[in-house]
């Protein structure tokens, strides 16, 4: 049985669907109760088994109630995907000197403390059942600097170490933990935020000729939760289309397969091109 947080939409929903399609029973948890219900309805339509719960992972009592309900309804907890994230705060998540400390505190409360709370509830239940697997949804922004989103990046970098610590401390109990770090994954929410110009600018840095899809991340998560990944733990796995795999000048300098016109490098240096 799996608990997936932030499963009402985007990557979390794709993960819940992927687990259900593999035969897993899923608790779909999301702060948006109607979105959680819609996800479980889709799972049920595909003959899967799921339970929707509306809750905020920053609330310790709500997290405890989530796992108590999951255990009561499905008999135990074997898998956990910590996907919930305070994405609504990212427009206000600015540079260090411009950052509202309330944004920092709220981001950490959800992204990092919320993940910790879920792990603390899941681990004893997994130990009682002989082991389990946890995937924490990190981000490539936790592995590289950016001109904004200071709180988000710091929370995801800390999540990477939290994952390594969990894997180290509870590997003897047959609990595996890995972090997945997505790059540019075109969820509906992100698509609504990015205009066509910015989409093109970001796509220039992809090594593959497309942006990522939530289903791409869900496939990796489903693998890491499965017995096929039984010897993988304590890792941070990037799924970013190669965005962090190349030198910073890649997009401006082009490559042997897609040479850029003369003068294009100077234009690129001036900023995003539409």
């Amino acid at each position: 049985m799996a608990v997936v947080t932030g499963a009402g939409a985007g990557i979390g929903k794709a993960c819940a669907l992927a687990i259900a399609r593999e035969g897993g029973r899923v608790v779909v948890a999301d702060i948006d109760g109607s979105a959680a219900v819609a996800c479980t309805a889709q799972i049920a339509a595909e003959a899967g088994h799921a339970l929707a719960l509306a809750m905020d992972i920053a609330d310790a009592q709500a997290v405890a109630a989530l796992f108590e309900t999951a255990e009561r309804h499905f008999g135990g907890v074997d898998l956990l995907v910590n996907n919930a994230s305070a994405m609504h705060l990212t427009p206000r998540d600015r540079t260090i000197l411009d950052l509202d400390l309330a944004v920092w505190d709220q981001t950490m409360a959800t992204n990092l403390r919320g993940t910790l709370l879920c792990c603390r509830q899941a681990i004893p239940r997994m130990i009682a059942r002989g082991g389990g697997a946890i995937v924490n949804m990190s981000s490539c922004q936790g592995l590289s600097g950016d001109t904004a989103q200071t709180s988000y990046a710091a929370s995801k970098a800390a999540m990477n170490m939290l994952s390594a610590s969990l894997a180290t401390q509870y590997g003897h109990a047959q609990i595996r933990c890995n972090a997945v770090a997505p790059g540019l994954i075109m969820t509906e929410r992100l698509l609504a935020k990015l205009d066509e110009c910015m989409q093109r600018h970001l796509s220039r840095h992809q090594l593959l000729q497309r942006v990522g899809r939530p289903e791409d991340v869900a496939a990796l998560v489903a693998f890491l939760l499965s017995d096929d990944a039984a010897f993988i733990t304590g890792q941070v796995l990037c799924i970013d289309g190669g965005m962090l795999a190349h030198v910073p000048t890649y997009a401006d300098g082009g490559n042997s397969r897609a040479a850029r016109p003369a003068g294009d490098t100077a234009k690129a240096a001036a900023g995003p091109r539409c």
Side-chain angles (χ1 to χ4, degrees):
M1 196 285 292
V3 172
V4 183
T5 67
I11 291 173
K13 179 179 180 180
C15 289
L17 289 168
I19 294 168
R21 287 165 182 157
E22 292 294 326
R25 297 168 298 169
V26 187
V27 172
V28 177
D30 200 284
I31 198 168
D32 183 342
S34 61
V37 169
C39 180
T40 58
Q42 185 172 344
I43 290 173
E46 298 179 8
H49 301 280
L51 173 68
L53 290 176
M55 53 82 65
D56 180 359
I57 67 165
D59 183 335
Q61 290 184 335
V63 171
L66 163 66
F67 282 86
E68 289 166 4
T69 301
E71 188 169 38
R72 185 168 59 251
H73 191 84
F74 286 124
V77 177
D78 306 292
L79 309 171
L80 169 62
V81 180
N82 284 307
N83 175 73
S85 185
M87 296 302 294
H88 65 289
L89 295 175
T90 56
R92 298 165 52 204
D93 194 356
R94 299 170 182 165
T95 62
I96 291 172
L97 294 182
D98 297 328
L99 179 63
D100 182 345
L101 289 180
V103 172
W104 173 276
D105 291 341
Q106 293 170 37
T107 299
M108 293 297 172
T110 297
N111 296 9
L112 189 58
R113 185 174 182 271
T115 296
L116 175 65
L117 290 174
C118 289
C119 290
R120 284 165 63 94
Q121 289 291 330
I123 289 169
R125 291 173 167 85
M126 291 179 176
I127 290 174
R129 291 169 65 83
I134 297 172
V135 172
N136 293 327
M137 198 61 64
S138 182
S139 170
C140 283
Q141 286 191 285
L143 299 169
S144 59
D146 202 345
T147 55
Q149 299 195 22
T150 305
S151 307
Y152 181 82
S155 72
K156 295 301 185 178
M159 184 184 289
N160 294 340
M161 187 50 63
L162 176 64
S163 302
S165 296
L166 197 160
T168 302
Q169 294 165 14
Y170 297 99
H172 69 279
Q174 302 304 311
I175 296 175
R176 298 185 297 107
C177 182
N178 294 287
V180 168
L184 181 60
I185 306 299
M186 200 58 71
T187 62
E188 292 181 1
R189 178 178 292 175
L190 182 59
L191 185 60
K193 289 169 54 178
L194 298 180
D195 59 27
E196 186 176 351
C197 177
M198 183 54 70
Q199 289 182 45
R200 290 180 182 176
H201 175 58
L202 293 172
S203 296
R204 291 175 63 239
H205 294 272
Q206 300 283 132
L207 298 188
L208 303 179
Q209 298 301 304
R210 67 174 178 86
V211 295
R213 300 182 295 258
E215 293 76 16
D216 294 319
V217 182
L220 175 57
V221 170
F223 166 71
L224 290 172
L225 295 175
S226 74
D227 290 341
D228 290 335
F231 204 55
I232 302 175
T233 193
Q235 304 303 305
V236 179
L237 292 93
C238 283
I239 177 164
D240 65 353
M243 186 173 284
L244 297 188
H246 56 73
V247 296
T249 55
Y250 165 81
D252 296 339
N255 58 59
S256 59
R257 294 179 60 87
R260 302 192 181 279
D264 198 52
T265 300
K267 292 179 183 178
R273 291 177 293 113
C274 297

